[in-house]
Amino acid sequence: MGPSTERSIPGRGERLPLVSLLPRAWNAFGLAPWRFVRLAALILLSGAGPAVLGQDLRQLETTWLIRLGDLTVLLSLILPLIPLLALLRLADVLLTNSSPRRSPLRWRWLLRQSLSLLLLEIVVVLGGIAVIQSMSWVAGQISTGLAGVAVSIGAIAMFGWLFSQVLALPLLIHHRHRALQAMDHSFQLVRSNVLNVLALLGLLIGLNLLGLIGAILGLLLSLPFSALVLMACCRTQTPWSNDSRRNILPT
């Protein structure tokens, strides 16, 4: 009864394989280094290029060019999603070279579910901000100090939610989840591995800070490693389960 209940709830009883993350990422990166670098460069160009062009257009005095600049800046936030998905998918494929062959992941399905996930996260964040503002206004009618407490509690809850969704996109790609399933799986997995996820975020931040030191060119290496580390986290381990032993050491 116990083990079957554990398996029925995604994330519960699963442990992140922190020990093997970097060896697995290094082994997978060595299989196709230039493909990783090209995708990382595409992410940077698709984000920075439209953003710079949009800012230049917004400096002009023509109204329609200013509107075009706003649209271009907005596009710079969405366009990098496509090469990012390609980078995560490539990382997942190369990390799964020792697993049974699965059906190919359809791009239209992946893009649709990823956009749905992004929109759901934005809706939750905007809803949370609206709730915090409402709580602050109601509490402010009583006391300004109480309003500050309400804002603090709301902000902590908001950041806690965002923290719980760190693994949503990698889990969506690896497990072929739908958007809501990925959000729930990430919440359950992070809740069971809070300290490990904090260590993971520290590792990712450190990797990309090192990449920034190299005059942005270091991001061509740190972004692929970050993607590989995130996708390696999807190879969770279940204590006392024979099926998870093959995930303990890199392959």
Side-chain angles (χ1 to χ4, degrees):
M1 184 69 178
S4 62
T5 304
E6 291 277 329
R7 294 190 191 99
S8 63
I9 302 177
R12 182 172 295 180
E14 296 179 337
R15 296 292 179 265
L16 296 181
L18 288 183
V19 175
S20 63
L21 287 182
L22 289 179
R24 281 176 174 272
W26 177 256
N27 290 340
F29 182 80
L31 296 176
W34 291 112
R35 292 177 65 187
F36 280 115
V37 170
R38 285 197 299 267
L39 287 172
L42 191 57
I43 292 173
L44 296 175
L45 290 174
S46 61
V52 172
L53 177 61
Q55 288 296 335
D56 290 341
L57 290 173
R58 294 173 67 181
Q59 301 302 319
L60 302 177
E61 297 181 357
T62 307
T63 303
W64 72 271
L65 288 177
I66 295 175
R67 296 291 179 267
L68 181 61
D70 294 337
L71 182 62
T72 306
V73 171
L74 180 62
L75 185 64
S76 71
L77 301 176
I78 301 174
L79 199 58
L81 179 63
I82 297 175
L84 174 62
L85 291 175
L87 181 63
L88 291 173
R89 183 172 176 269
L90 175 62
D92 187 51
V93 169
L94 294 181
L95 285 166
T96 321
N97 59 352
S98 63
S99 300
R101 186 180 297 275
R102 298 183 296 173
S103 59
L105 189 58
R106 292 173 297 173
W107 267 106
R108 290 178 61 183
W109 181 91
L110 176 59
L111 187 59
R112 184 170 64 250
Q113 293 302 323
S114 300
L115 288 174
S116 299
L117 176 64
L118 179 62
L119 289 175
L120 285 172
E121 298 286 1
I122 291 174
V123 167
V124 170
V125 170
L126 293 178
I129 292 174
V131 170
I132 291 173
Q133 289 177 336
S134 300
M135 290 172 55
S136 174
W137 182 83
V138 172
Q141 305 301 312
I142 303 172
S143 167
T144 55
L146 188 60
V149 172
V151 171
S152 299
I153 293 175
I156 292 172
M158 176 73 67
F159 282 113
W161 167 257
L162 293 174
F163 175 70
S164 72
Q165 298 303 304
V166 169
L167 300 175
L169 185 58
L171 289 170
L172 184 149
I173 294 172
H174 178 68
H175 291 287
R176 319 294 174 86
H177 285 326
R178 294 185 180 276
L180 288 174
Q181 289 176 310
M183 293 170 68
D184 180 62
H185 194 170
S186 178
F187 177 80
Q188 298 291 344
L189 186 58
V190 172
R191 188 175 66 172
S192 301
N193 299 269
V194 174
L195 294 180
N196 287 345
V197 175
L198 283 173
L200 170 66
L201 289 179
L203 174 63
L204 294 176
I205 292 172
L207 283 173
N208 289 284
L209 285 178
L210 288 175
L212 286 171
I213 291 175
I216 308 299
L217 293 178
L219 291 175
L220 297 179
L221 296 178
S222 64
L223 286 178
F225 268 97
S226 299
L228 286 162
V229 167
L230 282 172
M231 296 312 302
C233 287
C234 298
R235 278 78 177 162
T236 53
Q237 301 167 9
T238 304
W240 313 114
S241 173
N242 292 330
D243 294 336
S244 68
R245 291 178 183 173
R246 65 183 179 183
N247 292 327
I248 294 177
L249 296 176
T251 54

